[in-house]
Amino acid sequence: MNSEDILNSGKLYKVGQVSDGEGNYNEYLQNMEDYNAAGYTSEGLQKKKMILKKNFAEVGEDTYIQAPYHAMWGGKHVYLGKNVYINFNCTLIDDANIYIGEKTMIAPNVTIISASHPISPKLRSEGYGCNQPVYIGKNVWLAANVTVLPGVHIGDNSVVGAGSVVTKDIPSNVLAIGTPAKVLREIGPDDDIYYNHGKLISENLV
């Protein structure tokens, strides 16, 4: 099993002794720092585009991350679809792969984690960790302060309410909330008629 397979396998490995073998770790982190400091001039925005394409595994067209963002590998193991929007202070623990589908919106202070450690004090003292990839579908909305744990799959079009901790898979087309996050209801036809606790969409479009 090669290093990349180990990092995405869920198997225990000694942290620091397994590397994906590509590039310089500190270079990815420095690129991330440069992104966060680039500012909002036309030159700064162009620099951000270049850094995203250099640092991330994949970046779709019209995808944007508000600075600052924080990532264990600077985003190297993160795959972003088209038209993804990530708001301030997103943290990506990307020791394993993280996949985020097109048109997904991620609110401020969201944390997506692909890495973990064993409960065993002995194994932790010996430096063992384990990772599982995270899959977030298309047109998902993760509201503010959501935490997504390793190995989770979130289906297309679903919404995860603010402050939720997602410990298990969430299917497509549902609203999930809580700690741990549980499905509250399916998203249905009424959601195309009403918003914000019963307000009519047709009367409030500008």
Side-chain angles (χ1 to χ4, degrees), residues 12 116-125 128 130:
L12 290 167
S116 187
H117 298 277
I119 297 296
S120 164
K122 178 178 183 294
L123 289 175
R124 282 189 287 110
S125 71
Y128 280 96
C130 58

Side-chain angles (χ1 to χ4, degrees), residues 37-106:
Y40 294 90
T41 64
S42 58
E43 293 83 1
L45 293 172
Q46 186 60 37
K47 183 177 182 180
K48 286 179 179 179
K49 285 185 179 181
M50 293 174 61
I51 292 173
L52 283 186
K53 291 191 176 296
K54 183 177 182 180
N55 243 37
F56 282 67
E58 185 176 292
V59 180
E61 186 178 355
D62 295 323
T63 282
Y64 185 72
I65 300 176
Q66 288 281 10
Y69 81 94
H70 313 281
M72 199 70 187
W73 279 82
K76 183 182 186 304
H77 302 124
V78 181
Y79 295 76
L80 301 173
K82 296 184 293 185
N83 296 107
V84 172
Y85 178 75
I86 298 177
N87 216 320
F88 299 104
N89 290 316
C90 182
T91 298
L92 301 162
I93 307 302
D94 61 331
D95 295 81
N97 293 338
I98 296 171
Y99 301 89
I100 301 175
E102 64 183 53
K103 296 186 179 179
T104 284
M105 299 189 300
I106 295 179

